[in-house]
C-alpha cells in the first residue's frame, strides 16, 4: 500500500493539470482543480501509510506484516479498556478535523483545497495514535526497540528513485507546459520513462512484494477453479 501511495504522490501532483487538461481542456485546468487533485495525492499517501505493510522490520513483526492496516491491527490486539480509550482519542481527532477544516477553509482561505488539508491533518493524527499504540504493544511483547518506523519503508534506493522521478516530472511540467497539445505528449513521455524506471527499481529491490503478488494471483486462480 505504501508503494501505491508513493506512486500517487510522485506522479500525481505533476500530472494533475495534464489529466484535467486532457479531460476538460483549459476550462478547468487553469482553475484550482489541479491544485486540489495534487494535494489529494498527498492524502492518498497518508492513507497508505496508515495502512502500510512492513517488509524489512524483522520476523518479530510478522503479525503486523500480514495485517497490513495499522488501525485494524490496533483494534485486533487492543483490550476493552484500550479500545475505549482509543475511541475517545479518535473522537478528539474528529474534533481536531472540524477545527482544522474551519481554519483551512475560512481563516486560511483554502476553499476546497483547505478541506483536503484538514483531511491530511486528521490522517496524520490517526497515524500518530496508531503508531504510539503499536510501538507500546511490541515493547510489552519484549521487543526492546518497540516498533521501528523505518521497517515499513521501502528500500532506500526505491525512495531515491521516486524522489528523482518526482523532480524530473516537476521540471518537465514547468518547462513544457503550454496551450499547445504537443506539451501533453512530451510531458507524458517523460512520465512514462520515469514510471518504467520506478517500476524497474521496485522490482529489483522489493522482490518480496512481487512474490506475494504472484501468490495472491495463484490463490485467486485456484479458487476460481474449485
Amino acid at each position: 500500500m505504501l508503494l501505491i501511495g508513493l506512486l500517487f504522490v510522485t506522479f500525481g501532483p505533476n500530472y494533475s493539470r495534464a489529466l484535467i487538461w486532457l479531460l476538460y481542456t483549459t476550462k478547468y485546468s487553469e482553475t484550482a482543480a489541479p491544485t486540489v487533485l495534487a494535494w489529494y495525492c498527498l492524502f492518498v499517501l497518508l492513507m497508505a501509510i496508515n495502512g502500510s505493510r512492513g517488509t524489512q522490520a524483522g520476523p518479530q513483526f510478522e503479525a503486523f506484516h500480514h495485517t497490513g492496516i495499522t488501525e485494524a491491527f490496533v483494534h485486533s490486539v487492543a483490550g476493552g479498556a484500550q479500545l475505549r480509550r482509543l475511541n475517545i482519542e479518535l473522537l478528539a481527532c474528529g474534533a481536531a478535523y472540524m477545527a482544522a477544516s474551519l481554519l483551512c477553509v475560512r481563516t486560511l482561505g483554502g476553499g476546497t483545497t483547505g478541506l483536503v488539508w484538514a483531511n491530511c491533518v486528521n490522517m496524520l493524527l490517526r497515524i500518530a495514535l496508531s503508531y504510539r499504540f503499536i510501538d507500546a504493544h511490541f515493547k510489552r511483547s519484549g521487543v526492546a526497540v518497540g516498533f521501528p518506523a523505518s521497517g515499513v519503508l521501502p528500500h532506500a534506493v526505491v525512495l531515491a528513485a521516486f524522489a528523482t522521478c518526482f523532480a524530473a516530472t516537476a521540471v518537465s511540467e514547468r518547462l513544457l507546459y503550454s496551450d499547445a497539445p504537443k506539451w501533453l505528449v512530451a510531458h507524458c513521455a517523460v512520465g512514462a520513462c520515469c514510471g518504467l524506471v520506478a517500476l524497474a527499481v521496485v522490482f529489483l529491490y522489493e522482490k518480496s512484494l512481487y512474490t506475494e503478488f504472484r501468490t495472491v494471483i495463484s490463490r485467486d486462480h485456484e479458487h476460481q477453479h474449485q
Side-chain angles (χ1 to χ4, degrees):
M1 290 297 295
L2 183 56
L3 288 172
I4 295 175
L6 283 173
L7 281 172
F8 268 88
V9 84
T10 298
F11 295 98
N14 298 324
Y15 283 89
S16 58
R17 181 162 54 175
L19 177 63
I20 293 176
W21 188 94
L22 181 64
L23 295 176
Y24 303 107
T25 66
T26 56
K27 180 179 179 180
Y28 292 103
S29 64
E30 298 298 334
T31 66
T35 303
V36 174
L37 187 58
W39 278 104
Y40 191 81
C41 291
L42 174 61
F43 180 60
V44 172
L45 174 62
L46 293 177
M47 288 193 293
I49 293 174
N50 199 38
S52 60
R53 54 176 296 281
T55 59
Q56 304 167 5
Q60 63 267 44
F61 304 106
E62 182 178 1
F64 181 78
H65 296 173
H66 293 304
T67 303
I69 302 175
T70 54
E71 287 193 26
F73 178 82
V74 170
H75 282 271
S76 68
V77 301
Q82 292 172 320
L83 284 176
R84 285 191 292 271
R85 185 177 64 185
L86 179 64
N87 286 332
I88 293 174
E89 292 173 340
L90 289 177
L91 285 175
C93 287
Y97 166 70
M98 289 187 288
S101 298
L102 291 174
L103 175 65
C104 294
V105 174
R106 294 187 178 182
T107 306
L108 299 181
T112 306
T113 306
L115 289 177
V116 181
W117 294 343
N119 276 284
C120 290
V121 170
N122 180 44
M123 191 58 60
L124 282 170
L125 291 174
R126 296 175 79 98
I127 290 169
L129 287 178
S130 296
Y131 175 79
R132 187 188 66 178
F133 179 90
I134 294 169
D135 183 65
H137 171 77
F138 283 115
K139 286 180 178 177
R140 289 193 301 269
S141 301
V143 181
V145 297
F147 180 75
S150 60
V152 301
L153 295 175
H155 195 280
V157 177
V158 174
L159 294 176
F162 278 113
T164 303
C165 291
F166 177 83
T169 53
V171 171
S172 170
E173 182 185 34
R174 181 176 293 273
L175 294 180
L176 298 176
Y177 180 75
S178 68
D179 294 331
K182 62 181 181 181
W183 85 270
L184 183 64
V185 176
H187 187 44
C188 288
V190 173
C193 292
C194 289
L196 289 174
V197 170
L199 290 176
V201 172
V202 169
F203 178 78
L204 290 174
Y205 289 91
E206 298 289 337
K207 292 184 181 296
S208 60
L209 180 67
Y210 174 72
T211 302
E212 291 179 11
F213 180 76
R214 289 188 60 183
T215 301
V216 171
I217 295 298
S218 62
R219 287 177 180 173
D220 289 341
H221 184 73
E222 291 175 0
H223 289 162
Q224 290 176 359
H225 288 80
Q226 286 181 354

